[in-house]
Amino acid sequence: MHKPDVTGFYDARTGSIQYVVADPATGKCAIIDPVLDFDEKSGSTATRNADAILDHVARKGLTVEWILDTHPHADHFSAARYLRAKTGAPTAIGEHVKGVQRIWKTIYNWPDFACDGSQWDRLFTDGETFRIGELKARVIHSPGHTLASISYVIGDAAFIHDTLFMPDSGSARADFPGGSASDLWRSIQAILALPDETRLFTGHDYCQGGREARWESTVAEQKAMNPHVAGKTEADYVNLREARDRTLPMPKLILHALQVNVRGGELPPAEDNGRRYLKIPLDALPGSVWG
């Protein structure tokens, strides 16, 4: 099995990990889940995270073949559109993003918004394969956190986004619109059915117990040590996950980020004064815990 070179870029503001996945034989690479910087207090945007990725690509002499999203994120803006403009590489996400778009089209009251996934260059289906240089990549539809979530299995590595976190940190929440704890359990089981030595790269780390940020584990480590799955049944997991989710406030950027991320990372169009504006719906997520 081919072994890609994987470099993680940790964004401490959002606890997100962005990845460059490179084929050592050809120097071709993919960028997964890049972050566009946003400060909600000032409304400022920046490209520091994305530019650090581009600097790495240039320093290593890599060629970007893909810019890949695992799902429309609720806690940071996607830099996919910015990186597409910088590299010319196509963007991609799972085909079920259309369902997420339909949910948020209603929440944002966007009657003319196209819920067809056309904001990306490619929509992947479950089981579809593609290439990064000589590396074979395979898509696994892995819903639960969102209904559109997908994982990428690239050589001996799997990029599993908001499913499992590090083995000391459990799993991702499943209470966003379109989420499901039962679906997330089944997605986790599909990931854990990969070979034990498969390297798993998670989408977030919140530095459990004050440790340094980490983002790589293996299937074997997750099966043995993750408290949300080791020795658990589906019913155990669903009860645990739903009880935990009932205590969690929504991510602070969910209403900011989704209106950008269901557009493939495109910011709202400028208005007649040249400024861009976010639209924050009030009382759109009833029953949410106040944070």
Side-chain angles (χ1 to χ4, degrees), residues 58-137:
R59 192 165 56 250
K60 296 291 186 179
L62 303 174
T63 301
V64 181
E65 284 200 319
W66 291 98
I67 300 161
L68 305 174
D69 282 319
T70 56
H71 64 289
H73 299 271
D75 46 18
H76 67 261
F77 289 9
S78 170
R81 190 62 61 93
Y82 172 76
L83 289 171
R84 182 182 186 273
K86 288 291 186 179
T87 66
T91 59
I93 199 169
E95 63 171 346
H96 292 281
V97 72
K98 293 179 281 189
V100 175
Q101 289 178 319
R102 287 191 290 271
I103 290 170
W104 289 90
K105 173 180 180 172
T106 299
I107 291 173
Y108 290 120
N109 191 31
W110 287 341
D112 299 324
F113 181 67
C115 298
D116 57 5
S118 59
Q119 298 82 0
W120 287 264
D121 297 303
R122 177 86 167 262
L123 298 182
F124 288 125
T125 59
D126 182 42
E128 188 169 354
T129 61
F130 61 102
R131 294 275 176 178
I132 303 167
E134 295 178 0
L135 294 170
K136 182 178 178 180

Side-chain angles (χ1 to χ4, degrees), residues 143-187:
H145 177 66
T146 77
L147 60 84
S149 299
I150 59 174
S151 299
Y152 296 101
V153 181
I154 304 170
D156 76 335
F159 299 84
I160 61 172
H161 59 91
D162 295 14
T163 52
L164 292 168
F165 294 146
M166 293 304 294
D168 63 354
S169 303
S171 64
R173 66 193 298 165
D175 61 333
F176 294 157
S180 163
S182 294
D183 287 348
L184 185 53
W185 169 262
R186 288 188 285 272
S187 295

Side-chain angles (χ1 to χ4, degrees), residues 197-214:
E197 65 274 16
T198 304
R199 295 181 291 160
L200 300 181
F201 294 92
T202 192
H204 288 281
D205 189 66
Y206 301 111
C207 303
Q208 179 82 1
R211 61 161 170 73
E212 292 294 312
R214 296 173 53 214

Side-chain angles (χ1 to χ4, degrees), residues 26 31 58 86 92 103 126 148-149 170 261 271 277 290:
T26 65
I31 298 169
K86 288 291 186 179
I103 290 170
D126 182 42
S149 299
N261 294 342
E271 299 191 7
Y277 292 85
W290 283 42

